[in-house]
Amino acid sequence: MTTAAVPHTDPPRTAMLEVADLSLTVRRGQDRKPILASVSLTCAKGEIVGLVGESGSGKSMTLRTAVGLTPANAEVSGQVHVSGREMLGASPKDLAEVRSRTASMIFQDPRAHINPFQRIGTFLTEVLRLHQGLSKSEAGRTAAALLAEVGLPDPDRHLRQYPHELSGGMLQRVMIAAALASEPELLLADEPTTALDVTTQAEIMSILLRLRRDRGLSIVLVTHDLDLAVAVCDRIHVMYAGSIVEANSATELARAPRHPYTAALFAARPAPDRAELHAVSGRPLGLYEVKGGCAFAPRCPQAIGHCHDTAPQTREGDGHRVTCHLPADPAEPAALAPGLTKGERR
Ligand code: SF4
């Protein structure tokens, strides 16, 4: 008897974060400012996904919107699921429950998120009692264990200290410990190393990588540091003017960036073998400043005529996604604006 070979396929990975077609507009009186447009991304269980781009591109707003931390005057559309739970339109109670049990955030400046008049121990035990309902003594023991887990050398002493007695790197570890207090499955890290020196940055990232390995955490990392994202992320999404313009595995994105903005970001990195830096010319636009066409067109060295008046479509395949008129294969001709024939290329 012969048996047919069963093809091996990896089991599908559970998506911890699914953002689909997310758009956000802020109202000011009669004025309406679009901030995000059709943002889509996923982060599977145990995956580290990077969100990179210049300041103001919408990275942090995407993270905050995903967990319901939107401005009061915001209009949001699309779909966001955290561990399968719909976030848009959820009640404040349900949003708070997801934030306290499933998804935690860490921020760029820990000093802005911790009471300077409160001891570290008081801060952490309050968080633990709130999220886990622990007694005061249990919360104290757990707080010390969390500080040890994030690599602080003397947890009992640090619990008695005030924030100003700790360096920026130590305080960021405290914030990571606080984020772990709810035993989350998803960590949203918003520029967690931007304010730190390069050695401390490496220490914080190695802590996050260890937490991913030991706790199976999924991590969405917002950063403007492309090298950091390539080094630690499985996949990277590049944002510009409130939209994702390219997404790919970190290795493929670094090997062959297809979107001119991604290529420009890579070219702008300092490197020992480069005599000069290639800054991306011009200034980044907010989505609300884009009057039609491709948002990157005013800065794009490869812009063709219709880039300025026709928004490019998104193409997707083999895990890669890019929004640009230029062809995926440089040997192909660039895409034409709708309604134009080849001889009419602008
Ligand atoms: Fe440049 Fe045109 Fe592509 Fe926009 S659509 S990134 S302007 S080539």
Side-chain angles (χ1 to χ4, degrees):
M1 190 176 79
T2 56
T3 34
V6 178
H8 172 77
T9 51
D10 290 330
R13 296 170 84 188
T14 313
M16 288 308 305
L17 175 67
E18 288 177 287
V19 176
D21 209 16
L22 178 69
S23 296
L24 180 141
T25 298
V26 171
R27 268 181 287 105
R28 278 205 191 95
Q30 296 300 311
D31 207 19
R32 296 173 86 254
K33 276 190 171 179
I35 306 295
L36 301 176
S38 297
V39 174
S40 296
L41 64 94
T42 58
C43 180
K45 187 162 178 52
E47 194 175 32
I48 302 187
V49 167
L51 208 47
V52 305
E54 290 163 291
S55 299
S57 58
K59 310 181 298 293
S60 299
M61 187 60 90
T62 299
L63 276 204
R64 286 165 186 264
T65 306
V67 288
L69 297 173
T70 44
N73 54 347
E75 293 170 358
V76 184
S77 64
Q79 289 185 317
V80 177
H81 288 91
V82 173
S83 193
R85 290 180 70 164
E86 175 58 86
M87 300 296 283
L88 300 189
S91 68
K93 181 169 165 283
D94 286 348
L95 289 175
E97 190 181 311
V98 169
R99 289 199 295 266
S100 71
R101 294 191 185 282
T102 312
S104 284
M105 278 193 88
I106 52 177
F107 300 95
Q108 178 183 142
D109 182 5
R111 289 191 200 281
H113 296 273
I114 189 164
N115 183 344
F117 302 109
Q118 207 174 36
R119 290 180 199 272
I120 301 299
T122 310
F123 165 66
L124 277 179
T125 51
E126 276 183 7
V127 175
L128 281 160
R129 296 185 76 184
L130 177 73
H131 289 312
Q132 293 193 29
L134 301 180
S135 70
K136 201 171 174 185
S137 57
E138 285 171 333
R141 281 195 297 278
T142 307
L146 285 173
L147 290 188
E149 187 176 356
V150 296
L152 282 172
D154 190 351
D156 291 329
R157 183 168 65 88
H158 297 314
L159 288 174
R160 294 191 298 275
Q161 290 181 306
Y162 287 92
H164 72 268
E165 297 178 82
L166 273 62
S167 68
M170 293 170 106
L171 213 51
Q172 191 58 291
R173 291 169 197 236
V174 171
M175 295 310 291
I176 295 172
L180 297 176
S182 58
E183 301 187 333
E185 297 167 274
L186 173 66
L187 197 60
L188 305 176
D190 189 359
E191 305 262 17
T193 60
T194 297
L196 305 174
D197 64 74
V198 70
T199 312
T200 312
Q201 179 184 79
E203 289 169 3
I204 294 293
M205 288 316 303
S206 73
I207 290 168
L208 293 180
L209 290 172
R210 182 162 45 77
L211 291 173
R212 184 259 281 262
R213 188 195 63 211
D214 295 349
R215 289 179 173 242
L217 268 180
S218 309
I219 300 174
V220 181
L221 173 69
V222 161
T223 179
H224 59 256
D225 186 335
L226 207 48
D227 287 326
L228 177 70
V230 169
V232 304
C233 293
D234 300 304
R235 286 184 303 122
I236 297 177
H237 295 72
V238 181
M239 282 198 86
Y240 187 78
S243 297
I244 290 173
V245 295
E246 184 164 15
N248 209 346
S249 69
T251 43
E252 267 305 293
L253 194 85
R255 191 190 67 78
R258 308 266 174 77
H259 194 283
Y261 178 59
T262 314
L265 288 180
F266 276 109
R269 295 171 308 155
D273 57 343
R274 272 192 212 132
E276 56 186 275
L277 294 180
H278 299 280
V280 189
S281 63
R283 70 169 179 90
L285 297 182
L287 178 59
Y288 53 90
E289 296 175 280
V290 179
K291 302 299 178 214
C294 171
F296 190 54
R299 309 171 75 191
C300 181
Q302 291 169 265
I304 44 182
H306 61 273
C307 291
H308 294 277
D309 53 34
T310 307
Q313 301 287 312
T314 299
R315 294 190 308 270
E316 197 160 4
D318 293 335
H320 177 242
R321 182 155 40 105
V322 64
T323 305
C324 179
H325 287 303
L326 293 181
D329 177 352
E332 291 172 21
L336 295 174
L340 288 186
T341 62
K342 216 170 175 182
E344 296 172 313
R345 192 185 300 278
R346 282 180 243 157

